[in-house]
Amino acid sequence: MMKYLGLPILASEHGADVDKLILYVHYLMGALFVGWLSYFIYTLIRFRKKSNPKANYYGVSSHASTYVEGAVVVVEAILLIGFAVPLWAKVVDRFPPEAESTQVRVVAEQFAWNFRYPGKDGVFGKQDIKLVGSSNPLGYDPADEAGKDDIVPPLNEMVVPVNKPVIVYISSKDVIHSFKVAPFRITQDAIPGLSIPTWFKPTEVGRYLINCAQLCGNSHAFMKAYVEVRDQAGYDQWVTEKTASTANSAGGFE
Amino acid sequence: MDIPYTTHEREDTGLYNAKLGIWLFLASEVMLFGALFSAYILLRVGAEPGTWPHGLLNVPLGTINTLVLICSSVTVVMAWASLKMNQFNKFRIYQGITVLCALIFLVIKTFEYQDKFLHYEVIKNDGTIVDGHLVKKSADSITLHVSHGTHGKEKHDHKVQPVSGTNAAEASASPAAADHHEEVTVMMSDVKKMGNYGPKHNTYMAIYFTLTGLHGLHVIGGALVIAYLWLPGAKMWKTDPERFTNRIEVSGLFWHFVDLVWIFLFPVLYLL
Amino acid sequence: MQHSTTDTHHAGAHHDAHHHEELGFWRKYIFSTDHKVIGIQYALTSLVFLFIGFTLIALMRYQLAYPGQPIPIVGGLLDSLFKGMASGGVMSGDLYNAFGAMHGTIMVFLAIVPLAFAAFGNYVVPLQIGAPDMCFPRINMASYWVFFLGGVIMLVSFFIPGGPAQAGWTSYSPLAVIIPTDGQTYWLIGMVFLITSSLLGAVNFLATIIQLRAPGMTWMRLPFFVWAQFVTGFILLLAFPPLEAAGIMQLMDKVFGTSFFMPTGLMISGNPADISGGGSPLLWQHLFWFLGHPEVYVLILPAMGIVCEILCNNIRKPIWGYKSLVYSALAVGFISFIVWAHHMYLTGMGTAISTFFQTTTMIISIPSVIILTVFFISLWGGSMRFNTPMLFVLAFLPMFGIGGLTGLPLGFNFVDLHLHDTYYVIAHFHYVVAPGTIFALFGGIYYWYPKVTGRFMSESLGKIHFVTSFIFMNLIFQPMFAQGMAGMLRRMSDGGANYSVAQNPGVAGALSESVLYSNVLVSIAAWCLGLAQIPFIYNFLTSWKFGKKVTSDNPWQATTLEWQTPTPPPHGNFTTTPAVYRGPYEYSVPGAATDFSPQNEPLKTQKA
Ligand code: HEA
Ligand code: HEA
Ligand code: CUA
Ligand SMILES: [Cu+2]
């Protein structure tokens, strides 16, 4: 049944659950729709004036419809308690251990995406609001040791290893954007002043689009970036390359 | 057919139209101020710990204003009661006091506002801060009257630091270092950032001006209606006393609401 | 039946004798305090705005279908009207966003709410409850003129330098504040006017319904339309003020540089913003959606009320489950205040809060299901007449059904991970408001037109209007579900072309050819929908003078009180206060002489 929904290809672990829940809800909707529509068309024919010239003051006396309503309540409750709530809890509450995941800071701006990796030490550079200025829009402390090995790839380019959880910390410099990767079934608003973590586990090697899913100005439609999922070896190679180039570009505030 | 229940109560609801109308309107007003109070709470809870300002407002003036409004709430009721007892002259006196109270409130509020608009914070290029009331401002310098101890800001020590080279002349020209007051002049070329304690200053001033400004508009609106019913509108007492009494009651209900809002505003903005 | 028609001449004479004056043209038609005139003013104004809202989207749809190509015919006009925003007849991103924001704003606040609530409510509610007018006629007039001014401000904003608001109808901060146009300021001031107008209207409606019900018109004898307006009034009364507060704060941010919704460390085009910071962008969203969600029920409840009236009239039997209907409407009204954050699932919400809002969202779907069920079950045993109003109303049922059902997946935040801000959402709510609410409103116009003007609208033109509108509405919004599922995002000035396979070779999950091609089909259907309104507009305007005359004051043989007045009803409505003896939909009462028993017809036992 899934293929009739026309969802984009799937490339993340929890995405399968998203698709499943979408499918189940659509079963409920489909049942209600088909059921009521058949009933509706039947009444239109049977109770048109020609075939039923005199209306019945009392109408339906059975309470079958109450059972239908009851059923809707039950199914909704099951979907809610059985699926939606626990699945959501998994996404927002049960983060994988940082050491076993790839961590990326994602900062949106009009109209591009900045990425930053913590580098070998696994720790991001320190940020201080007081250091924010035109040349250091994110306020990274250039003196901080932990920040020295941070990797800052070029704008709009993100690379992650396959089959390993990715934790993204999402924020924005200016207006609200939204980090969306449809094949990963993930969306998270990027809100200035907040850094919101979320995570996913890519399961397929490939190159995917990062969309901006929140109106952010006149070039909202053109704010795209790519995320490349590589095998571990490919990823490691990329890290080595970027470590070198970041070091050259001195500091890497972006 | 005429519209029924304009003066007399409908039996099953126990209300005449205008009274129901004002209650409904006040319900929406509660939501309006409720939303602003929630905004206040959210901004305050969300502020960096220790940065929410205290003691910026003049508590004695606020207290006087609170008393003034409470007084007016009493006289508004007395005015209505006088009409109920058919004592029109007393009504005139009581309602006169109400209008007077409203005026006093507004005048005091104006002074408080003015104080904030004249209160400047100047951040100099070297990072020191001069904080005080405006004496004069020109294209190339600003002079502030800096007084001690009123604002509880910990930045005070900066103010007495020796003035830097460029404005030394002005500084010595100004009546320097009296005990608790002094005037400090800063050259514009030294100023990194400056601004008064208007709504832009921080979110506290922003919500202060928004809440009290909106409340002030309500006071003005209410006072205008009450004043109208006090003088020209009172003609109706001769032609339709019952309806006139109702009008006084309805405007009184609105006035109580305006007072009530202040009763919340005062502690929230001045004391907490 | 004998009492149902009143002698028109007598009514007029009575009226004149009572007031000893003829109102001049201005007092009678422009600054009138008569609820019927005000209702008509609201109706005409909001229809014009409906048309403007459609014009905007018709232009936008060209850019969605053919991104980067100049708009034929009107492209040059756009270029000269909006200097620099449509060079060469191609809409810039700014202009697209401006039109999008204004389409949403105009449709919601200037077209549907004033038409559904203010126009129908003003004209019909006092008549249905047997009142001579609204409680506060002058406030009523003020409400219309404040609304009118609000509309003018919105329209003027199109022609200021930089153009109108461009941050969506949701006006999220900081975007709304930092876009360099005064359009947002106009938008905010316009909204303050519209909100004020709605508040005045809501107070008036509520007071009228509570105070001015005719003797015998108990709560459970109110036509459902009145109930719907009553709940709507409460929603407007209590949900709008927080938006007004938010609007004032955003206005402060915009005009006085405060930081209510501006966080610390904000950058504007690469430089630190000159603000104090310390505000919260999410605060705006909470305040907006606290109104925004109840608002959507403002768009649907009056429509449901109209549906109930027309449905019962044309199935010739009482509504099945009147009480469930009323209680469900009340429940919807209450619960609508505690579901708002389902529009904000992806702003970083924890489990506890999201569980709360998911649960309330599921709960609020239940009364909606009950309302629709009541309508469906009522059909059973009816004797249906398929006149134009009835056709629109029958179409409303499955259309609202589709819109409502597709709200369910959106109610789960886990599903929202995929569907948020896609065209699935656009399709969801347009099914509710366009083929849903708009159809109900069309039905209402065809239904009450004879009471207002004394003439029918043409049935044959009406049926053409219905069939074509029905087809094109579905052709517009059905493909959007598929587009949304495929991941096409809303508010894209290029219709998603930049995210397409063509422009992203080798990228998995980009939008396919067919998803983009749907844009063309949808756009064509949208323009055809516009053409399908020509019979309606022609019908609406010409029938006023040339339509078939009604032969009775109660041409549809209805039971509710508005049909027991002269046609059109005079100032003051009823010649004598009507007394009410029965429920609102007493059709085909066993043993009655006719198949309808008006509310003011005494019961047999009570007849003297
Ligand atoms: C009148 C307008 C209206 C109505 C009635 C609704 C009704 C509902 N809406 Fe919708 N909604 C909007 C207007 C409306 N909505 C708008 C304008 C937006 C977008 C705003 C924006 O972002 O710009 C939106 C967005 C929106 C979202 C946010 C999506 C997102 O941005 O990611 C959500 C999420 O929960 C939602 C849920 C619901 C639910 C659960 C209902 C429920 O109340 C629905 C209940 C109804 C039913 C369950 C139908 C029952 C039907 C049957 C029983 C029978 C069916 C039979 C046949 C079809 C024959 N809506
Ligand atoms: C009540 C609300 C309402 C209504 C009725 C409509 C009606 C329509 N809407 Fe709209 N829409 C919104 C509310 C509404 N919309 C909102 C809130 C948004 C989101 C905006 C945002 O992103 O911020 C939106 C966004 C939106 C988009 C997405 C844009 C984007 O994301 O980039 C699209 C795309 O196709 C669209 C299309 C349409 C169409 C084709 C209609 C059609 O159904 C229109 C049908 C109307 C007519 C055909 C006019 C008929 C005219 C008459 C009958 C006049 C008669 C006159 C006289 C007699 C004098 N709408
Ligand atoms: Cu960034 Cu949209
Ligand atoms: Cu909602």
Side-chain angles (χ1 to χ4, degrees), chain B residues 115 119-120 130-135 144-153 155-157 159-160 178-184:
Chain B
D115 179 73
H119 185 177
Y120 272 74
V130 183
D131 188 278
H133 284 78
L134 187 69
V135 176
L144 296 182
H145 183 110
V146 178
S147 61
H148 293 263
T150 37
H151 300 303
K153 290 196 86 183
K155 292 158 186 160
H156 276 195
D157 20 323
K159 282 178 279 189
V160 287
D179 282 347
H180 288 285
H181 303 280
E182 59 176 327
E183 285 187 7
V184 178

Coordinates of all heavy atoms in Angstrom, one line a residue, chain B residues 115 119-120 130-135 144-153 155-157 159-160 178-184:
Chain B
D115 N 10.7 61.3 32.5 CA 12.0 61.0 33.2 C 12.7 59.9 32.5 O 13.9 59.9 32.4 CB 11.6 60.5 34.6 CG 12.8 60.1 35.4 OD1 13.6 61.0 35.8 OD2 13.0 58.9 35.6
H119 N 16.5 60.0 30.5 CA 17.5 59.2 31.2 C 18.3 58.5 30.1 O 17.8 57.7 29.4 CB 16.8 58.2 32.1 CG 17.7 57.4 33.0 ND1 17.3 56.5 33.9 CD2 19.1 57.3 33.0 CE1 18.3 55.9 34.5 NE2 19.4 56.4 34.0
Y120 N 19.6 58.8 30.1 CA 20.4 58.2 29.0 C 21.5 57.3 29.6 O 22.0 57.4 30.7 CB 21.2 59.3 28.3 CG 20.4 59.9 27.1 CD1 19.3 60.7 27.4 CD2 20.7 59.6 25.8 CE1 18.5 61.2 26.4 CE2 19.9 60.1 24.8 CZ 18.8 60.9 25.1 OH 18.1 61.4 24.0
V130 N 28.4 55.8 31.0 CA 27.9 57.0 31.7 C 26.3 56.9 31.7 O 25.7 56.8 30.7 CB 28.4 58.3 31.1 CG1 27.9 59.5 31.9 CG2 29.9 58.3 30.9
D131 N 25.8 57.0 32.9 CA 24.4 56.8 33.0 C 23.8 58.0 33.8 O 24.1 58.2 34.9 CB 24.1 55.5 33.8 CG 22.7 55.1 33.8 OD1 22.0 55.6 34.6 OD2 22.3 54.3 32.9
G132 N 22.9 58.8 33.2 CA 22.3 59.9 33.9 C 21.3 60.6 33.1 O 21.0 60.2 32.0
H133 N 20.8 61.7 33.7 CA 19.7 62.4 33.0 C 20.3 63.5 32.1 O 21.3 64.1 32.4 CB 18.8 63.0 34.0 CG 17.8 62.0 34.5 ND1 18.3 61.1 35.5 CD2 16.6 61.6 34.2 CE1 17.3 60.2 35.7 NE2 16.3 60.6 35.0
L134 N 19.6 63.7 31.0 CA 20.1 64.6 30.0 C 20.2 66.1 30.5 O 19.2 66.6 31.0 CB 19.2 64.5 28.7 CG 19.7 65.3 27.5 CD1 21.0 64.6 27.0 CD2 18.6 65.3 26.5
V135 N 21.3 66.7 30.2 CA 21.4 68.2 30.5 C 21.3 68.9 29.2 O 20.4 69.7 28.9 CB 22.6 68.5 31.3 CG1 22.7 70.0 31.4 CG2 22.7 67.8 32.6
L144 N 25.4 64.8 30.6 CA 24.4 64.1 31.5 C 24.6 64.5 32.9 O 25.7 64.7 33.4 CB 24.6 62.5 31.4 CG 24.4 61.9 30.0 CD1 24.6 60.4 30.1 CD2 23.0 62.2 29.5
H145 N 23.5 64.5 33.6 CA 23.5 64.8 35.0 C 23.5 63.5 35.7 O 22.5 62.7 35.7 CB 22.2 65.6 35.4 CG 22.2 66.0 36.8 ND1 22.3 67.3 37.1 CD2 22.0 65.3 37.9 CE1 22.2 67.4 38.4 NE2 22.0 66.2 38.9
V146 N 24.6 63.1 36.3 CA 24.8 61.8 36.9 C 24.6 61.9 38.4 O 25.2 62.7 39.1 CB 26.2 61.3 36.6 CG1 26.4 59.9 37.3 CG2 26.4 61.2 35.1
S147 N 23.6 61.1 38.9 CA 23.4 61.2 40.3 C 23.6 59.8 40.9 O 23.4 58.8 40.2 CB 22.0 61.7 40.6 OG 21.1 60.8 40.0
H148 N 24.0 59.8 42.1 CA 24.4 58.5 42.7 C 23.2 57.8 43.4 O 22.3 58.5 44.0 CB 25.5 58.7 43.8 CG 26.7 59.1 43.1 ND1 27.7 58.2 42.8 CD2 27.1 60.3 42.6 CE1 28.7 58.9 42.2 NE2 28.4 60.1 42.1
G149 N 23.3 56.5 43.5 CA 22.5 55.8 44.4 C 21.0 55.6 44.1 O 20.3 54.9 44.7
T150 N 20.5 56.3 43.0 CA 19.1 56.2 42.7 C 18.8 54.9 41.9 O 17.7 54.4 42.0 CB 18.6 57.4 42.0 OG1 19.6 57.8 41.1 CG2 18.2 58.5 42.9
H151 N 19.7 54.5 41.1 CA 19.3 53.5 40.2 C 19.8 52.1 40.5 O 19.6 51.2 39.7 CB 19.7 53.9 38.8 CG 19.1 55.2 38.4 ND1 17.7 55.3 38.4 CD2 19.6 56.4 38.0 CE1 17.5 56.6 38.0 NE2 18.6 57.2 37.8
G152 N 20.6 52.0 41.5 CA 21.0 50.7 41.9 C 21.7 49.9 40.8 O 21.7 48.7 40.7
K153 N 22.3 50.6 39.9 CA 23.1 49.9 38.8 C 24.5 49.8 39.3 O 25.1 50.7 39.8 CB 23.0 50.7 37.5 CG 21.6 50.6 36.9 CD 21.6 51.0 35.4 CE 22.0 49.8 34.6 NZ 22.1 50.2 33.2
K155 N 27.0 49.8 37.7 CA 28.0 50.5 36.8 C 28.5 51.8 37.3 O 29.2 52.5 36.6 CB 27.4 50.7 35.4 CG 27.2 49.4 34.6 CD 26.1 49.6 33.6 CE 25.8 48.3 32.9 NZ 24.4 48.4 32.3
H156 N 28.0 52.2 38.5 CA 28.2 53.6 38.9 C 29.7 54.0 39.0 O 30.0 55.1 38.7 CB 27.5 53.8 40.3 CG 26.1 54.1 40.1 ND1 25.3 54.7 41.1 CD2 25.3 54.0 39.0 CE1 24.1 54.8 40.6 NE2 24.1 54.4 39.4
D157 N 30.5 53.1 39.4 CA 31.9 53.5 39.6 C 32.5 54.0 38.3 O 33.4 54.8 38.3 CB 32.7 52.3 40.2 CG 32.1 51.0 39.9 OD1 30.8 51.0 40.0 OD2 32.8 50.0 39.6
K159 N 31.4 56.0 36.3 CA 31.0 57.4 36.0 C 32.0 58.4 36.6 O 32.3 59.5 36.0 CB 29.7 57.7 36.6 CG 28.5 57.2 35.8 CD 27.2 57.4 36.5 CE 27.0 56.4 37.6 NZ 25.6 56.5 38.1
V160 N 32.6 58.0 37.7 CA 33.6 59.0 38.2 C 35.0 58.8 37.7 O 35.9 59.5 38.1 CB 33.5 58.9 39.8 CG1 32.3 59.5 40.3 CG2 33.7 57.4 40.2
A178 N 30.3 67.8 42.5 CA 29.6 68.1 43.8 C 29.4 66.7 44.4 O 29.5 65.7 43.8 CB 28.3 68.8 43.5
D179 N 29.0 66.8 45.7 CA 29.0 65.5 46.4 C 28.3 64.4 45.7 O 28.8 63.4 45.4 CB 28.3 65.7 47.8 CG 29.2 66.4 48.7 OD1 30.4 66.4 48.4 OD2 28.8 66.9 49.8
H180 N 27.0 64.6 45.5 CA 26.2 63.5 45.0 C 25.8 63.7 43.5 O 25.3 62.8 42.9 CB 25.0 63.2 45.8 CG 25.3 62.6 47.1 ND1 25.7 61.3 47.2 CD2 25.4 63.1 48.4 CE1 26.0 61.0 48.5 NE2 25.8 62.1 49.2
H181 N 26.0 64.9 43.1 CA 25.6 65.1 41.7 C 26.8 65.7 40.9 O 27.6 66.4 41.4 CB 24.5 66.2 41.6 CG 23.3 65.8 42.5 ND1 22.4 64.9 42.0 CD2 22.9 66.1 43.7 CE1 21.5 64.7 42.9 NE2 21.8 65.4 44.0
E182 N 26.8 65.3 39.6 CA 27.8 65.9 38.8 C 27.3 65.8 37.4 O 26.5 65.1 37.0 CB 29.1 65.2 38.9 CG 29.0 63.7 38.6 CD 30.3 63.0 38.6 OE1 31.3 63.6 38.3 OE2 30.3 61.8 38.9
E183 N 27.9 66.7 36.6 CA 27.5 66.7 35.2 C 28.7 66.1 34.4 O 29.9 66.5 34.6 CB 27.1 68.1 34.7 CG 25.7 68.4 35.2 CD 25.2 69.7 34.6 OE1 25.9 70.2 33.7 OE2 24.1 70.1 35.1
V184 N 28.5 65.2 33.5 CA 29.5 64.6 32.8 C 29.2 64.9 31.3 O 28.1 64.7 30.8 CB 29.6 63.1 33.0 CG1 30.7 62.5 32.1 CG2 29.9 62.9 34.5

